[in-house]
Amino acid sequence: FSFKNLRFSASENLQNNRKIIGRKEFSKSPAFSPDGFIERQEYLWELAFGARDSSYCGCGWIAAYNLLHSAGKDTDISVLISEAEKGAVLKGVFGTNPFFIRKLLSGFGIELRLLPKRLLLSGKAKRGFIYYLRRNFSGHFAAFTKEDGKYRFYNVGKPPYIVSPEKFFEREKPLFTIVFGE
């Protein structure tokens, strides 16, 4: 790990990302599921996020995108990334502040509140996102929507990853969890 090369230009990132997203083949990227959700972050290495790339630290904006898509509020991905960069932690090296992602979604009309984990476990949450710290101390965001009594977790596991919250937590084994939902 190095703190070198932490500089970036938000306007250059935006221009670069617009070019990449503007390509015809972008929407056919294996990052996308057939129903238009971003499920494989590792294929987004060309999209800049802060001083890094989206395959490394883009899970925050990806969770926001997936929640917007689930609500039928598709948005320009390059603009979404640019807005999410404003909440980047250490220029994106440590991803995005989860409270900022909540605020970002609020600007698009998705109002989420901090939920106790037990509300998700009880099946009372409709949709939202989880920010969690893994055992290797890396953080990750996963958006979720309720489907037929279970939840679909996006950008986690083999898509479509539809399981009970217990199975999700059993698989991921988080050290720390924050849940925002409605």
Side-chain angles (χ1 to χ4, degrees), residues 113-126 130 144 146 151 164-166 169 177-180:
R113 59 188 174 94
L114 189 58
L115 298 178
K117 186 176 161 183
R118 65 179 155 68
L119 280 182
L120 179 63
L121 290 169
S122 69
K124 292 184 180 173
K126 180 179 167 188
I130 300 171
F144 64 86
K146 193 168 186 177
Y151 287 93
S164 68
E166 293 85 2
F169 289 114
T177 305
I178 297 175
V179 180
F180 286 101

Side-chain angles (χ1 to χ4, degrees), residues 38-49:
I38 297 175
E39 294 274 19
R40 295 178 187 96
Q41 177 178 346
E42 65 270 19
Y43 290 103
L44 297 177
W45 54 269
E46 285 186 289
L47 292 177
F49 181 81

Side-chain angles (χ1 to χ4, degrees), residues 20-174:
I20 291 162
I21 292 165
R23 295 181 197 154
K24 276 197 238 180
E25 65 272 10
F26 179 75
S27 64
K28 294 176 174 60
S29 163
F32 291 92
S33 65
D35 54 354
F37 292 95
I38 297 175
E39 294 274 19
R40 295 178 187 96
Q41 177 178 346
E42 65 270 19
Y43 290 103
L44 297 177
W45 54 269
E46 285 186 289
L47 292 177
F49 181 81
R52 298 289 189 256
D53 65 75
S54 290
S55 68
Y56 176 80
C57 57
C59 58
W61 75 257
I62 291 168
Y65 170 85
N66 284 333
L67 283 176
L68 289 166
H69 185 68
S70 76
K73 298 181 178 198
D74 290 322
T75 185
D76 181 331
I77 291 174
S78 58
V79 172
L80 183 63
I81 293 169
S82 185
E83 289 300 311
E85 282 178 330
K86 296 173 184 174
V89 178
L90 194 61
K91 309 290 186 184
V93 171
F94 294 129
T96 314
N97 180 319
F99 292 91
F100 184 85
I101 293 296
R102 180 180 110 178
K103 180 180 173 186
L104 177 67
L105 286 164
S106 177
F108 286 96
I110 296 180
E111 299 294 333
L112 303 176
R113 59 188 174 94
L114 189 58
L115 298 178
K117 186 176 161 183
R118 65 179 155 68
L119 280 182
L120 179 63
L121 290 169
S122 69
K124 292 184 180 173
K126 180 179 167 188
R127 70 173 166 210
F129 71 85
I130 300 171
Y131 173 79
Y132 58 100
L133 188 63
R134 297 174 176 138
R135 295 202 177 273
N136 67 1
F137 297 105
S138 65
H140 189 63
F141 285 87
F144 64 86
T145 55
K146 193 168 186 177
E147 292 191 11
D148 300 323
K150 292 186 178 181
Y151 287 93
R152 180 173 175 184
F153 294 92
Y154 302 92
N155 197 27
V156 176
K158 184 179 178 194
Y161 189 62
I162 302 172
V163 296
S164 68
E166 293 85 2
K167 289 282 185 195
F168 172 84
F169 289 114
E170 183 181 302
R171 178 185 186 268
E172 295 300 307
K173 297 176 179 59

